[in-house]
Amino acid sequence: MAFVVRVLVFVALTLMELSMAAIYKVGDSSGWTTIGNVDYKLWSATKNFQVGDIIKFEYNAQFHNVMRVTHAMYKTCNASLPLETYTTGNDTITIKTRGHHFYMCGVPGHCQGGQKVDINVPRTVSTDIAPTPLVSVSPPAPAVKAPAPASNVASQKSHSVLLGLAGAVVFVVFGSSILA
């Protein structure tokens, strides 16, 4: 029984982690392009990337591609030996590790023109954020809630669905022993 509990807790935590993933479209409405002078450095600096987040590259596959490269290759726009290459025009990449993830367009001149992005997932959790208490002693003050970005709506809905699913699994496994 203890093994089953551990497995269920692991599954529930995994589902919760995956369900909280954000989806980021690189370049927002402009996408992955050389048109419009998109500042990908500024774009990525305004995001709070986490492990499990999804990075989406949308582009015209006739004119662009996406290459995952090393830091040295990123700095010099060297596309000769990419770690990975994506060419569909609608590529999604799930961030699996902390640290810097470097991407560039391998079409000659595009990286030099600014079509490159550094997706940085901080290695440590910021100490500026206070932990959320599990139990509130007094009622919280009403908070003004800003609307969520459109790109994260799907992940918020899936979060609710997956939490409900995890709760149902726990109830099915433990419900009969609790009610008996």
Side-chain angles (χ1 to χ4, degrees):
M1 180 68 160
F3 175 74
V4 172
V5 171
R6 279 186 254 146
V7 168
L8 286 174
V9 168
F10 173 77
V11 168
L13 290 174
T14 302
L15 287 174
M16 286 174 50
E17 182 178 309
L18 290 174
S19 67
M20 292 192 285
I23 300 171
Y24 294 100
K25 179 181 172 186
V26 176
D28 294 325
S29 61
S30 297
W32 186 239
T33 184
T34 54
I35 300 171
N37 297 322
V38 179
D39 186 342
Y40 293 107
K41 185 175 184 175
L42 177 63
W43 176 85
S44 66
T46 63
K47 308 299 184 243
N48 184 21
F49 299 110
Q50 301 295 321
V51 171
D53 286 349
I54 297 169
I55 307 304
K56 186 170 187 152
F57 288 88
E58 290 183 6
Y59 56 94
N60 185 331
Q62 292 178 336
F63 303 107
H64 305 286
N65 60 33
V66 177
M67 294 182 167
R68 185 171 72 87
V69 295
T70 65
H71 183 240
M73 295 169 73
Y74 174 85
K75 284 173 48 177
T76 61
C77 291
N78 177 356
S80 62
L81 293 170
L83 303 172
E84 294 176 292
T85 302
Y86 303 89
T87 59
T88 70
N90 191 21
D91 305 313
T92 57
I93 301 165
T94 301
I95 299 173
K96 296 181 180 174
T97 60
R98 296 185 182 283
H100 292 269
H101 304 270
F102 301 101
Y103 298 93
M104 60 184 261
C105 182
V107 174
H110 288 199
C111 177
Q112 292 85 344
Q115 195 177 6
K116 62 182 186 175
V117 65
D118 172 5
I119 305 295
N120 183 22
V121 180
R123 292 193 183 275
T124 59
V125 178
S126 173
T127 56
D128 297 340
I129 302 171
T132 305
L134 295 176
V135 179
S136 178
V137 177
S138 61
V144 176
K145 192 171 186 180
S151 63
N152 294 337
V153 171
S155 66
Q156 290 172 352
K157 287 180 183 176
S158 66
H159 176 66
S160 298
V161 170
L162 289 173
L163 281 178
L165 179 62
V169 168
V170 170
F171 178 76
V172 167
V173 172
F174 296 110
S176 60
S177 63
I178 293 171
L179 295 175

